[in-house]
């Protein structure tokens, strides 16, 4: 389009508006130029497959004629669009076109060079379909391009060729400010913070709001401009408090349509769906009543993850949102005209009462096979005016767990109020999800159980903008008006309750607030302005005083920070003068919360207010709550650790994570069968190992559960679960409080993992950001998002730079390491930890898939340099010579970055990171209550027996020259956590199953190397799941990998006492390695005779003739055979039978022959170095 002189004017999802400006006398030539461009586009891109499996098919409409440029908006934001008859004809031509067609409007057909074209008339239409044309020559094209109109004030922007020939652009000192008004604020923040343009794009959960104005037929340009301008100003005014933005205004696709977005970068708010629905109903009401030239207004709201970022060509792009949820909003706007509609996700995430909505009939929508249930948002109704009780329901099975301190405080405060009769407010402050609502529900229940009258109400975010909502709800529920459906019943209730409290002439002042129809008295009718307002406030204050102080009762207000200002102006003086007992919940960050906090600290009012901050649940309470919700006796240790670490003790987070696991079928509920013996197979071994160390709940929370236990499915890794949308939005609201550049660094760090080194972060950062890295990290630490690890936590031998490893290419042989530079600072080898795991996961999920994969590839390339044993253990692969057996295990390329290959500080930092990861895996999140460590380590049960048995097992003879046993304090324990396990994760994320399998085997071998059989078992289980997923794909996993897989399984089985299963696995491994081990005594006799034959000379001659790579590959096979035979020799020696002795001797003989072959290959390898 740009080559043919077009100027891309507007993007609108799946449509593009392109503009050519030409003098009237040159329109014919220009239309031919546009047609030639269109047909070329159809030939190249008319039918195209995409990488996501979607087929794109293009249709093109062309019109010509005069058009008007409209500029709308306010002093902060400006938008440009065009209108006119040519645009109307263009819309008609596009609608008439089918995929692959080019349609000319009636006017453009009259103006064009008809002799060039081959066309076909459309039945009943003046527009024509172009079926062919005589191509313009190159000189004709150039001549037509020269005659296109370029505005005299058009100029080049920064960047080669980036200009707007069809539009006037501002110049001078104010040009930047003028142009900034046309750019999205989310994009401007990133530009101002110097975030690279290719890092603008994110996958974000947002709420999309589409507004369509159906304009009066025949409306002229001036009136159109007035309507659109007024509508945009109204919308901006409504959206601003809710941090919503108008992303674009279009006149050519869906009539006059506005796309508004909530939750763009830097704009995320809690309760986003409520903000969007409130804005939608306000926009609907305002546009319907105030825009004269509008026949109908339609508004649609959807929520979900969409692409937010830069789309288009490098020379013509815009910051916008694209995705299925945006398309759904556009379709709903058209198919549900004249109302405010929303999708099921918005309905659910708003958590508003059902009476705010009305279900709409299902309608077929283009391109959407299953749009889901659609609702009409009706906003405030008669039922919502009188508010609602507490939304949370108390569990029928057991009391609230983990809040014993708060419940005891409630009891003591209530007792003091009963004895003294003085007013008292008990306020609980807690962050979103801390369990405030559940606590108040429990306290309301306890108050009722004690025989007190309890008036409970819950306020919503929408109520804070509704004048007198809180006082109306409180009085209505205290008087019982919520049960009166008819106006007359409400009037009788009010007269009975308030007779003697207010004058008969003042009852009419309650009409608007309680939806009653008392006759307006002469006294009230004569009041004017301020006098009537004072009388109104006085009457409401009397009613409130009567309601609250009239009789003993407990008043419970959930979300008291949403009390509207108008209500508080009446409530505040009344609450100072009456006796009452009130319990309320508050959230930080609101003016009402700060007011109560200051009052509690004030000496004059502190005795009347008790203010308590809700702490996170203790780990034991988290486990007990999960057991209570699942109605089980206990849960597995892995499940407990996952929920404790991810939830950080916040009840709502724990509930959402547990719900996510259940919805994705990732949990298994079992009844313990202690007396039955499990089958001797791999699946039973996994299950028994997981069930061996459950965390028991208290008897009160697990009564009647018959020994049921909940475990994570063996074929599931909970670390790979996608963060629930509700928690992701909470985390993003916190992330968006920090500046874009800091957020960008955090996104890069999130790809690495929960613990990361500065060297690796620097390696994956773009060149332009590396010099700012340390400064940005320090700022993130000061924001309590990251935390530096102290080097004093690292053992002395870890800090010694001379203990660093060789590079991967040096693995397996001793190499002198270069001494570390004295200029290297501690910060250059720093290690940081994410303080809140959910923030890391939310930041990670913002990456678009292609960028995410590229970053995982860079991380893997860096870590592969350190994927070997520590120096004290020989620096080789954990599976001996493993790298030489698999083709191109390093095809990700060598690491290139600021850290030189073999940098000892990188190794030290990775060791420190590994120690932290090991602590997190073993003891839970650092910073939790001290009892958490004891809680997670106590009563290991069978798992402890597994580990103890593993450590007590005699060490087998091995060719590995290890200076220390597997239980020594070497650096391998840390390296497996910070290098091998992350490498497997990176390759899984990249979709490289073969290399992920490779590093899962290395991880399992490393855990066996450091005598951690249980985690080795879990890693082999992950490898099993990955292997099963690849069964239909041929040659993905190499034969040696298969053999190593079975041999490691055999070793784990042996360490865990499953001797029979171990023998089976080892035999399978030897079979894959080309060394069959017989199963019968006769086979053993024959095999022993074969093994007596001399072949040492042949082996030595063959070893010396092979190239080095082939020798080392053969060495890996021989060493793996030797390991398997050594294990079999040991296992058969334990039988104490004649057949066992036979097989033991055979294994020993086969191992001796294999070891001689190993010696020959090693000798040949030494000679050729």
């Amino acid at each position: 389009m740009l080559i043919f002189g077009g100027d891309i004017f507007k993007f609108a999802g799946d449509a593009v508006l392109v503009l050519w400006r030409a003098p009237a006398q040159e329109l014919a030539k220009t239309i031919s130029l546009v047609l030639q461009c269109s047909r070329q586009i159809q030939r190249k891109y008319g039918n195209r497959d995409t990488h996501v499996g979607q087929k794109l098919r293009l249709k093109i409409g062309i019109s010509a004629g005069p058009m008007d440029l409209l500029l709308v908006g306010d002093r902060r934001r400006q938008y440009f669009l065009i209108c006119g008859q040519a645009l109307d004809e263009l819309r008609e031509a596009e609608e008439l076109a089918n995929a692959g067609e080019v349609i000319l409007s009636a006017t453009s057909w009259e103006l064009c060079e008809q002799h060039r074209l081959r066309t076909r008339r459309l039945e009943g239409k003046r527009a024509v379909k172009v079926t062919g044309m005589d191509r313009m020559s190159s000189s004709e094209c150039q001549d037509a391009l020269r005659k296109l109109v370029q505005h005299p004030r058009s100029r080049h922007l920064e960047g080669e060729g980036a200009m707007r020939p069809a539009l006037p652009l501002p110049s001078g000192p104010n040009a930047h400010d003028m142009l900034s008004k046309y750019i999205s604020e989310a994009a401007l923040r990133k530009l101002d913070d110097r975030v690279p343009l290719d890092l603008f794009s994110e996958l974000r959960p947002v709420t999309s709001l589409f507004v369509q104005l159906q304009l009066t037929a025949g409306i002229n340009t001036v009136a159109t401009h007035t309507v659109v301008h007024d509508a945009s100003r109204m919308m901006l005014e409504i959206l601003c408090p809710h941090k919503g933005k108008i992303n674009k205004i279009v006149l050519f696709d869906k009539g006059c349509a506005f796309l508004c977005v909530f939750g763009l970068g830097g704009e995320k708010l809690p309760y986003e769906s409520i903000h969007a629905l409130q804005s939608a109903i306000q926009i609907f009401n305002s546009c319907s009543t105030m825009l004269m030239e509008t026949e109908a207004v339609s508004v649609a709201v959807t929520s979900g993850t969409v692409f937010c970022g830069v789309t288009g060509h490098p020379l013509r792009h815009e910051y916008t949102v694209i995705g299925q949820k945006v398309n759904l909003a556009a379709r709903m706007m058209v198919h549900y005209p004249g109302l405010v509609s929303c999708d099921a996700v918005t309905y659910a995430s708003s958590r508003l009462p059902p009476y705010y909505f009305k279900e709409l009939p299902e309608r077929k929508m283009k391109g959407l096979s299953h749009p889901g249930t659609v609702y009409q948002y009706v906003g405030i109704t008669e039922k919502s005016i009188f508010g609602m009780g507490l939304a949370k329901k108390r569990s029928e099975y057991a009391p609230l767990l983990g809040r014993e301190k708060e419940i005891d405080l409630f009891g003591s405060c209530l007792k003091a109020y009963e004895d003294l009769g003085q007013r008292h407010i008990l306020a609980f402050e807690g962050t979103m999800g801390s369990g405030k609502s559940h606590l108040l529900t429990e306290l309301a229940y306890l108050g009722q159980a004690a025989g007190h009258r309890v008036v409970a109400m819950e306020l919503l975010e929408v109520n804070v903008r509704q004048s007198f909502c809180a006082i109306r709800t409180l009085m209505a529920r205290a008087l019982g008006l919520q049960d009166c459906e008819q106006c007359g019943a409400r009037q009788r209730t009010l007269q009975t309750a308030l007779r003697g409290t207010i004058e008969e002439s003042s009852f009419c002042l309650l009409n608007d607030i309680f939806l009653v129809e008392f006759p307006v008295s002469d006294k009230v009718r004569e009041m004017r302005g301020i006098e009537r307002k004072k009388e109104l406030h006085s009457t409401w204050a009397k009613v409130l005083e009567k309601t609250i102080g009239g009789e003993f009762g407990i008043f419970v207000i959930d979300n008291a920070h949403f009390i509207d200002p108008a209500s508080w102006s009446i409530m505040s003086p009344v609450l100072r003068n009456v006796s009452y007992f009130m319990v309320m919940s508050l959230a930080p960050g609101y003016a009402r919360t700060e007011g109560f906090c200051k009052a509690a600290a004030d000496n004059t009012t502190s005795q009347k207010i008790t203010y308590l901050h809700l702490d996170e649940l203790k780990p034991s309470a988290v486990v007990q709550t999960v057991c209570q919700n699942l109605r089980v006796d206990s849960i597995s240790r892995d499940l407990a650790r996952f929920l404790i670490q991810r939830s950080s003790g916040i009840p709502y987070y724990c509930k959402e994570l547990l719900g996510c696991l259940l919805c994705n079928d990732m949990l298994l509920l079992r009844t313990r069968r202690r007396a039955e013996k499990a089958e001797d197979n791999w699946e039973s071994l996994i299950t028994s190992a997981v069930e061996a160390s459950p965390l028991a709940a208290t008897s009160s929370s697990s009564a009647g559960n018959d020994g049921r236990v909940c475990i994570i499915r063996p074929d599931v890794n909970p670390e790979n679960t996608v963060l629930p949308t509700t928690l992701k939005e909470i985390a993003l609201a916190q992330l968006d409080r920090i500046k874009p550049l800091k957020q960008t660094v955090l996104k890069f760090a999130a790809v690495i993992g929960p613990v990361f080194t500065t060297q690796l972060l620097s390696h994956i950062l773009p060149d332009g950001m590396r010099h700012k890295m340390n400064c940005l990290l320090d700022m993130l630490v000061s924001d309590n998002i990251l935390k530096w690890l102290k080097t004093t936590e690292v053992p002395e031998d870890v800090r010694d730079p001379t203990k660093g490893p060789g590079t991967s290419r040096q693995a397996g042989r001793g190499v002198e390491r270069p001494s570390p530079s004295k200029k290297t600072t501690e910060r250059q080898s720093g290690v940081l930890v994410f303080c809140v795991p959910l923030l890391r996961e939310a930041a990670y999920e913002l990456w678009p898939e292609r960028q995410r994969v590229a970053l995982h590839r860079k991380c893997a390339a860096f870590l592969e340099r350190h994927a070997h044993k520590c120096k004290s253990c020989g620096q080789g692969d954990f599976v001996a010579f493993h790298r030489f057996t698999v083709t191109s295990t390093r095809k990700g390329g060598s690491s290139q970055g600021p850290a030189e290959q073999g940098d000892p500080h990188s190794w030290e930092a990775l060791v420190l990171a590994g120690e932290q990861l090991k602590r997190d895996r073993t003891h839970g999140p650092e910073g939790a209550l001290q009892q958490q460590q004891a809680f997670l380590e106590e009563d290991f049960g069978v798992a402890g027996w597994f580990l103890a048995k593993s450590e007590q097992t005699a060490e087998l003879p091995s060719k590995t020259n290890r200076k220390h046993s597997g239980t020594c304090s070497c650096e391998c324990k840390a390296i497996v956590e910070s290098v091998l396990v992350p490498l497997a994760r990176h390759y899984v994320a990249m979709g490289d199953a073969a290399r992920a399998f490779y590093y899962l085997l290395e991880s399992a071998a490393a855990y066996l190397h450091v005598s951690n059989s249980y985690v080795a078992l879990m890693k082999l289980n992950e490898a099993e799941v990955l292997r099963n997923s690849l069964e239909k794909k041929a040659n993905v996993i190499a034969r040696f990998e298969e053999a190593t897989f079975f041999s490691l399984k055999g070793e784990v089985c042996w360490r865990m006492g499953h001797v029979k299963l171990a023998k089976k696995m080892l035999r399978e491994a030897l079979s894959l390695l080309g060394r069959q081990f017989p199963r019968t005594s006769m086979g053993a006799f024959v095999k022993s005779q074969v093994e007596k034959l001399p072949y040492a000379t042949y082996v030595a001659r063959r070893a010396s003739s092979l190239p080095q790579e082939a020798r080392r590959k053969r060495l890996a096979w021989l060493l793996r055979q030797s390991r398997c035979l050594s294990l079999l020799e040991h296992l058969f020696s334990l039988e104490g039978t004649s057949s066992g002795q036979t097989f033991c001797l055979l294994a020993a003989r086969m191992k001796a022959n294999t070891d001689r072959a190993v010696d020959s290959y090693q000798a040949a390898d030494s000679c050729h170095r």
Side-chain angles (χ1 to χ4, degrees), residues 380-576:
I380 300 173
T381 61
E382 183 175 304
K383 190 171 183 179
S384 64
I385 282 179
F386 298 119
M388 56 186 290
L390 299 179
K392 304 298 181 189
K393 302 300 180 184
R394 183 180 184 272
S395 171
E396 300 176 4
Y397 309 108
L400 185 66
L401 298 171
R403 296 299 182 198
E404 291 77 14
K405 180 179 73 173
E406 290 80 4
I407 292 173
D408 291 342
L409 178 62
F410 168 78
S412 60
C413 291
L414 182 58
K415 180 86 166 52
Y417 173 66
E418 292 172 345
D419 295 340
L420 303 176
Q422 295 180 346
R423 70 179 185 272
H424 197 86
I425 295 177
L426 179 56
F428 296 102
E429 183 219 317
T431 58
M432 183 178 179
S434 58
K436 303 184 298 293
S437 299
H438 281 290
L439 175 61
L440 262 61
T441 301
E442 183 73 11
L443 299 183
Y445 169 81
L446 294 175
Q448 286 179 328
H452 300 305
R453 174 174 175 257
V454 176
V455 177
M457 57 180 274
E458 179 186 23
L459 293 174
L460 304 170
E461 205 276 341
V462 295
N463 302 137
V464 76
R465 293 180 177 83
Q466 299 170 3
S467 295
F468 304 110
C469 176
I471 190 172
R472 173 176 55 212
T473 304
L474 181 61
M475 292 190 297
R477 297 195 69 79
L479 296 171
L481 296 183
Q482 72 274 12
D483 299 323
C484 302
E485 296 184 1
Q486 301 298 324
C487 173
R490 287 195 293 274
Q491 289 184 190
R492 289 190 293 272
T493 301
L494 288 170
Q495 287 174 323
T496 303
L498 303 178
R499 186 170 288 115
T501 302
I502 60 175
E503 299 177 5
E504 288 291 333
S505 60
S506 298
F507 272 96
C508 59
L509 294 172
L510 305 178
N511 285 351
D512 291 337
I513 192 169
F514 292 130
L515 298 183
V516 288
E517 298 175 355
F518 288 110
V520 180
S521 65
D522 294 337
K523 176 183 175 182
V524 172
R525 189 179 291 110
E526 293 173 359
M527 293 179 182
R528 293 289 182 271
I530 297 176
E531 182 186 3
R532 182 165 184 166
K533 185 177 181 180
K534 286 182 178 179
E535 182 65 21
L536 187 67
H537 279 226
S538 174
T539 300
W540 288 353
K542 291 176 184 177
V543 175
L544 182 63
E545 186 173 349
K546 166 72 175 177
T547 301
I548 294 181
E551 60 178 289
F552 183 87
I554 302 172
F555 295 87
V556 180
I557 304 179
D558 193 12
N559 294 329
H561 49 280
F562 289 143
I563 296 176
D564 59 281
S567 294
W568 187 246
S569 66
I570 299 174
M571 293 174 65
S572 181
V574 173
L575 293 178
R576 286 196 290 265

Side-chain angles (χ1 to χ4, degrees), residues 954 956-957 1054 1059 1063 1077 1125-1148:
L956 292 177
W1054 161 65
V1059 175
K1063 292 176 183 176
F1077 193 85
L1125 292 167
S1126 178
L1127 285 168
L1128 283 174
E1129 178 188 0
H1130 178 73
L1131 293 175
F1132 282 113
S1133 70
L1134 300 176
E1135 286 190 7
T1137 63
S1138 59
S1139 63
Q1141 189 67 21
T1142 300
F1143 285 115
C1144 177
L1145 291 172
L1146 174 61

Side-chain angles (χ1 to χ4, degrees), residues 324 362 365-372:
Q324 186 178 10
E362 183 178 350
M365 299 185 221
K366 177 184 174 184
L368 299 168
S369 55
H370 301 288

Side-chain angles (χ1 to χ4, degrees), residues 130 191 240 264 299 311 366 382 392 413 506 513 527 531 559 664 674 677 701 745 856 871 893 913 1007 1010 1026 1061 1160:
V130 179
L191 287 171
C240 185
L264 290 173
V299 185
T311 61
K366 177 184 174 184
E382 183 175 304
K392 304 298 181 189
C413 291
S506 298
I513 192 169
M527 293 179 182
E531 182 186 3
N559 294 329
N664 292 312
R674 299 181 185 273
K677 185 177 180 181
S701 65
V745 170
H856 279 294
K871 189 173 183 180
Y1007 280 117
V1010 298
L1026 183 61
L1061 186 58
S1160 299

Side-chain angles (χ1 to χ4, degrees), residues 881-894:
F881 292 95
H882 193 181
R883 75 186 64 248
F884 301 105
T885 65
V886 181
T887 304
S888 186
T889 60
R890 297 176 57 84
K891 68 182 178 184
S894 61

